[in-house]
Amino acid sequence: MRLCSFSRDSRRHPGLVEGDHVVPLAAHDAIDIIRGADPVAGGDPIPLADVVLEAPVLPGNALAIGLNYRAHAAETGQQPPAEPVLFAKMRGTYNRPSGPVVHPEWTRRLDYEGELGVVIGATAHRVPVAQALEHVFGYTCVDDVSARDRQKAEPQWIRAKSGWGFMPMGPWITSADEAGDPQDMRIRTWVNGELRQDTNTSDMIFTVAELVSFASHVFPLEPGDVITTGTPSGVGVGMDPMRFLQPGDVVRVEISGLGAIEHAIVAP
Ligand code: MG
């Protein structure tokens, strides 16, 4: 299934995306479907063009992984890590797939990171790698928006990674049974139509199964939690000369089989 959340009457509704329509669901929220409720239709199909897609789920926890592609570690001048580098995205980062992302006044080096997002489906606590994917509900596209100057200058990455709206995601969650192999997805990012990132998730240092297992040994992962799995090479800070996002820029992240998100950067 392709599970989305959309807004109507100024509240969120869950839906199933079928073709170019969304079928509203009777459930209260997408999290109910992620936890295992049957996706029962609760209304007539609505053209996708007539709704605003929201973040498909509002995770209880959003974890992110630093340096999970060798070429990205190299472009940022760092060694590939021996263990996954975990950090968090605060709730205020959650953003609809169309954004926008407000360019904060406290950074001059705003950057994009196209990433594969993993949505947990069943509580995962201390799960072995071999069983980790059984705890995954599905996959989605994420832009792990980053303030490079704050990331470099500050020992904690809260400001660098958790600015308001710094996590556009969606456009929906493709369930694991339909998404295919998470280690064989093409991931591409464009800025203003210029292709910047073009990699396959087969190049990850730590696989999705390894990341879920690793994180589950830190604390229990709950249904709806999201792990965004690190960005490949091609970010703005890795270019020569470096190129950062400005108000008016448009970022598009597309992952094969999962769809695409596209959001603008806007002035504060
Ligand atoms: Mg990232």
Side-chain angles (χ1 to χ4, degrees):
M1 76 178 82
R2 296 193 291 170
L3 177 65
C4 75
S5 295
F6 64 95
S7 53
R8 194 172 50 171
D9 315 324
S10 64
R11 61 160 288 229
R12 291 168 57 91
H13 301 265
L16 284 189
V17 176
E18 295 181 355
D20 55 3
H21 284 70
V22 56
V23 178
L25 294 177
H28 178 70
D29 190 272
I31 191 69
D32 301 320
I33 309 301
I34 292 170
R35 288 195 181 111
D38 284 333
V40 178
D44 294 329
I46 308 167
L48 265 175
D50 291 351
V51 303
V52 173
L53 291 175
E54 300 290 339
V57 65
L58 297 175
N61 299 295
L63 289 173
I65 309 296
L67 303 177
N68 199 30
Y69 289 82
R70 280 181 187 79
H72 173 63
E75 74 179 349
T76 58
Q78 298 175 82
Q79 293 294 319
E83 288 190 310
V85 176
L86 278 181
F87 60 95
K89 304 280 282 186
M90 301 292 125
R91 283 184 73 88
T93 64
Y94 306 163
N95 203 341
R96 56 174 63 129
S98 58
V101 173
V102 175
H103 190 306
E105 69 284 359
W106 40 258
T107 179
R108 300 185 66 169
R109 295 192 165 188
L110 193 69
D111 208 353
Y112 52 86
E113 294 193 344
E115 304 194 6
L116 172 65
V118 178
V119 182
I120 299 298
T123 300
H125 192 202
R126 302 179 64 81
V127 296
V129 173
Q131 277 135 49
L133 292 185
E134 298 167 17
H135 298 75
V136 171
F137 174 80
Y139 301 93
T140 194
C141 305
V142 173
D143 184 2
D144 174 21
V145 179
S146 304
R148 300 296 182 201
D149 39 5
R150 304 326 332 159
Q151 188 177 9
K152 192 169 182 185
E154 299 171 7
Q156 296 274 342
W157 290 355
I158 298 215
R159 192 152 65 141
K161 294 288 194 173
S162 282
W164 180 37
F166 272 22
M167 192 176 177
M169 57 179 140
W172 41 73
I173 303 164
T174 302
S175 56
D177 58 319
E178 292 184 17
D181 182 355
Q183 304 312 143
D184 186 17
M185 294 178 179
R186 186 180 186 187
I187 177 167
R188 286 177 290 176
T189 305
W190 293 260
V191 177
N192 303 332
E194 177 189 335
L195 184 63
R196 298 280 188 90
Q197 297 184 293
D198 186 0
T199 304
N200 192 288
T201 55
S202 60
D203 289 341
M204 283 184 188
I205 296 173
F206 302 105
T207 64
V208 170
E210 289 169 333
L211 295 173
V212 170
S213 173
F214 181 87
S216 82
H217 284 78
V218 182
F219 61 83
L221 303 174
E222 300 293 347
D225 285 358
V226 169
I227 301 175
T228 188
T229 55
T231 202
S233 59
V235 294
V237 75
M239 300 177 77
D240 185 14
M242 295 184 280
R243 293 167 71 181
F244 297 105
L245 296 171
Q246 305 298 335
D249 287 345
V250 174
V251 178
R252 176 184 175 87
V253 178
E254 181 174 329
I255 301 179
S256 56
L258 307 185
I261 61 175
E262 186 172 300
H263 67 83
I265 307 298
V266 300

